[in-house]
Amino acid sequence: MRMSWTLALYLGRHYLAAIAMVFAVLVVLAYSFDTIELLRRSANRPEAGVDTVFAMSLLRLPNLSIKLIPFAALFGGMLALTRLTRSQELTVTRAAGVSVWQFLAPAMALAILVGSFVITVYNPLAAALLSRYEAIEARVLRGRASMMAVSNTGLWLREADAQGQIVVHALRVAQQGVELRDVILFYYEGTDEFVRRIDATEAYLRDGFWELHNATTSYPDRASGFNAVLEVPTTLTFDRIQDSFASPNTIPFWQLPSFITTLEQAGFSALRHRLHFQTLLAAPFLLCAMLLIAASFSLRLTRRGGVGVMLGLGVGVGFLLYFTIELVQPFGLNGTLPVVLAAWAPTGICLMLGLSMLFHLEDG
């Protein structure tokens, strides 16, 4: 039997309402826990008031909510199908000749549409807000403001403290940022009072200082000087340079490909950003997989009973599969697995598992 559009829209509304309700509950819980954690971190920071903490939590909430969407699809799908089963609507629908694949089709279409909306529209908004959050966190909670920018003109790195700031520019980079070529260091007091400029052919990051080779120091009020080797203090370390990169979550989906290209041309590894980009592409299919798993357990209620056991198993399997993604991704980050495989394999496994369970349930 061919399912009518009226029935498809009716089922789609049920799925959407259940997923939206579960998503709202998860977002409220995430905001509450995140606010409590930020309050704990800011306890010894007098400059971080309560209003600042609440604003920071709101800025990070869209990015957190993206991570909750697969769980909302899982729990919402189970809730919708359980309601339809309890009201005997699915029983009547199946008796009329509608197969499980037909009444799951609206859910699959909804998952593709929601996933596409999330990565193309919602993700850029979340990335912009998270970028503002990280800037405030670095200034208020970490007490430091170092920032790196990589562009077609080379590497730009800023290091700031209470006395002033240093802006480092390099045309070429090696060893993930600890070796720079064609370097210029601009020194400022405060925010805009120029103090001096150092031009060097090479710069090496040592423990607590930059080792500059063939360095020419220029001053605004006296003659310049030359040093074959010059050591200038810095608070930067290799880890802090790596942390200064724009987090993959702060870069909008549409800008990720060009940023990856620029990053690799500058001499840095872009594995994190490549993995994040592929994970975003796989997101709609992960939502489909979660709905298939939800259906595999929820539809058993009509035949075998045991509501609590079946729903508990569904939740447990959903969590297990989702956290498998978090376990596989480090293998992609360290190069053990290809990035595409690390991003897509868990989603593919979830899809195949959900399909096989439904085939077994429906066709024996």
Side-chain angles (χ1 to χ4, degrees):
M1 174 182 176
R2 183 177 179 181
M3 187 171 63
S4 67
W5 281 104
T6 302
L7 179 58
L9 292 174
Y10 177 77
L11 293 175
R13 287 198 301 269
H14 268 278
Y15 292 130
L16 184 60
I19 291 172
M21 184 177 68
V22 173
F23 179 68
V25 172
L26 293 177
V27 165
V28 170
L29 291 175
Y31 179 75
S32 302
F33 287 125
D34 188 50
T35 302
I36 293 172
E37 174 62 17
L38 288 176
L39 287 171
R40 183 192 65 79
R41 292 177 57 191
S42 62
N44 298 323
R45 297 281 184 176
E47 64 273 20
V50 176
D51 55 341
T52 302
V53 170
F54 278 95
M56 290 174 62
S57 188
L58 281 175
L59 289 174
R60 191 161 70 161
L61 185 61
N63 181 68
L64 290 176
S65 64
I66 290 178
K67 300 178 181 179
L68 297 175
I69 291 176
F71 291 102
L74 172 66
F75 301 146
M78 297 182 72
L79 177 62
L81 290 171
T82 301
R83 283 178 172 178
L84 291 171
T85 299
R86 290 295 184 84
S87 64
Q88 302 299 318
E89 289 173 281
L90 277 190
T91 303
V92 173
T93 302
R94 292 169 68 89
V98 177
S99 70
V100 64
W101 309 109
Q102 288 176 300
F103 64 71
L104 282 180
M108 297 297 103
L110 185 64
I112 296 295
L113 290 175
V114 170
S116 301
F117 174 81
V118 167
I119 65 176
T120 58
V121 179
Y122 191 62
N123 170 264
L125 172 64
L129 295 178
L130 184 64
S131 180
R132 293 184 59 186
Y133 162 82
E134 290 190 351
I136 298 174
E137 182 196 32
R139 185 181 71 253
V140 175
L141 297 184
R142 299 183 184 180
R144 58 180 175 86
S146 63
M147 183 172 58
M148 176 181 288
V150 180
S151 66
N152 293 329
T153 61
L155 169 71
W156 292 89
L157 180 63
R158 182 171 69 90
E159 179 184 357
D161 56 26
Q163 287 71 41
Q165 60 179 324
I166 306 171
V167 178
V168 181
H169 175 245
L171 290 179
R172 296 186 300 277
V173 180
Q175 299 299 319
Q176 297 295 305
V178 297
E179 295 183 13
L180 309 180
R181 304 286 188 269
D182 299 322
V183 187
I184 305 175
L185 284 75
F186 301 92
Y187 286 80
Y188 297 88
E189 284 186 0
T191 58
D192 57 359
E193 184 180 350
F194 176 72
V195 177
R196 59 175 170 157
R197 163 179 169 166
I198 303 177
D199 294 74
T201 57
E202 298 173 344
Y204 300 90
L205 181 61
R206 307 302 187 193
D207 188 11
F209 63 91
W210 285 106
E211 180 184 300
L212 306 177
H213 291 204
N214 302 318
T216 301
T217 306
S218 304
Y219 301 92
D221 54 358
R222 61 180 189 268
S224 60
F226 176 81
N227 297 89
V229 178
L230 178 64
E231 295 180 0
V232 294
T234 182
T235 59
L236 292 175
T237 63
F238 174 77
D239 291 335
R240 286 189 63 180
I241 288 179
Q242 296 297 310
D243 291 342
S244 296
F245 276 121
S247 166
N249 291 323
T250 63
I251 303 174
F253 171 78
W254 301 107
Q255 298 178 14
L256 266 172
S258 60
F259 184 85
I260 290 170
T261 301
T262 302
L263 201 62
E264 292 178 337
Q265 289 176 348
F268 291 94
S269 172
L271 280 177
R272 283 194 309 156
H273 300 79
R274 285 186 175 277
L275 182 61
H276 181 66
F277 181 67
Q278 293 295 329
T279 302
L280 287 176
L281 291 178
F285 303 98
L286 179 61
L287 298 185
C288 291
M290 289 300 186
L291 286 171
L292 288 174
I293 293 170
S296 301
F297 287 96
S298 301
L299 295 179
R300 291 172 178 262
L301 302 179
T302 59
R303 300 182 179 182
R304 303 184 183 181
V307 176
V309 175
M310 288 300 173
L311 293 181
L313 286 174
V315 172
V317 170
F319 270 106
L320 180 62
L321 292 175
Y322 186 75
F323 284 115
T324 298
I325 299 174
E326 302 298 321
L327 293 175
V328 171
Q329 285 188 349
F331 292 100
L333 291 176
N334 60 27
T336 304
L337 290 176
V339 169
V340 175
L341 181 61
W344 284 88
T347 300
I349 292 172
C350 292
L351 281 171
M352 289 188 289
L353 180 61
L355 288 171
S356 62
M357 294 172 68
L358 279 179
F359 274 122
H360 176 73
L361 175 66
E362 187 70 7
D363 302 321

